[in-house]
Amino acid sequence: MMREFEKWVARVLLLNSALALGVSLGLLGERQPADALPVLYSAAMLGFLSAVLSLKRWQAGLWGGLLYYALQLVAVYPLAGGWQFAVKAGVSIGLVLRFHGAVVVLNMVALALLAATAAVLAWRRRAPPP
């Protein structure tokens, strides 16, 4: 049963990163700022390569998936302008937190998929080798 869940997690990562590649290449969604494109493309490629490795059942793919979702977990938008952080790759449903000086968005989809990937990684580390 856990192996099927592992395949599902890898396939969701593949779909999510394919959507992010489409956005970074300008094929899907709104046009992204030019300075954000290298980061978005790099994150999408990280997710795509991690998904391929995960489908081959390599643990490196799961570690890459954790990093891919961690990059998307939190976005920070200062109200006064200046430095901001946001990697919007793939699917995002955000919990918006408004503070005095900034708006912080917690990506709930990335959080759920990060937890699922961590669960698969923990299971794989505990399972005896085949």
Side-chain angles (χ1 to χ4, degrees):
M1 180 164 149
M2 194 61 172
R3 241 180 226 211
E4 290 301 317
F5 184 65
E6 182 178 0
K7 286 181 189 175
W8 179 84
V9 166
R11 289 175 183 152
V12 169
L13 178 58
L14 184 64
L15 175 63
N16 199 317
S17 62
L19 290 172
L21 277 172
V23 169
S24 69
L25 295 173
L27 303 173
L28 299 171
E30 64 188 44
R31 189 166 182 84
Q32 300 296 315
D35 60 340
L37 286 177
V39 173
L40 182 58
Y41 182 75
S42 298
M45 284 306 297
L46 170 68
F48 189 79
L49 293 173
S50 297
V52 170
L53 293 176
S54 291
L55 286 170
K56 291 181 174 264
R57 301 200 70 238
W58 290 17
Q59 279 193 9
L62 295 171
W63 286 107
L66 287 176
L67 180 58
Y68 175 75
Y69 292 125
L71 285 171
Q72 300 175 57
L73 197 55
V74 176
V76 179
Y77 303 97
L79 296 177
W83 184 85
Q84 61 180 332
F85 176 81
V87 177
K88 300 177 201 169
V91 179
S92 174
I93 297 175
L95 174 65
V96 178
L97 306 167
R98 297 182 188 272
F99 295 101
H100 177 69
V103 174
V104 176
V105 180
L106 179 63
N107 183 343
M108 301 306 287
V109 173
L111 180 62
L113 293 172
L114 180 74
T117 305
V120 170
L121 186 61
W123 171 75
R124 288 279 306 276
R125 293 182 67 124
R126 282 193 323 261

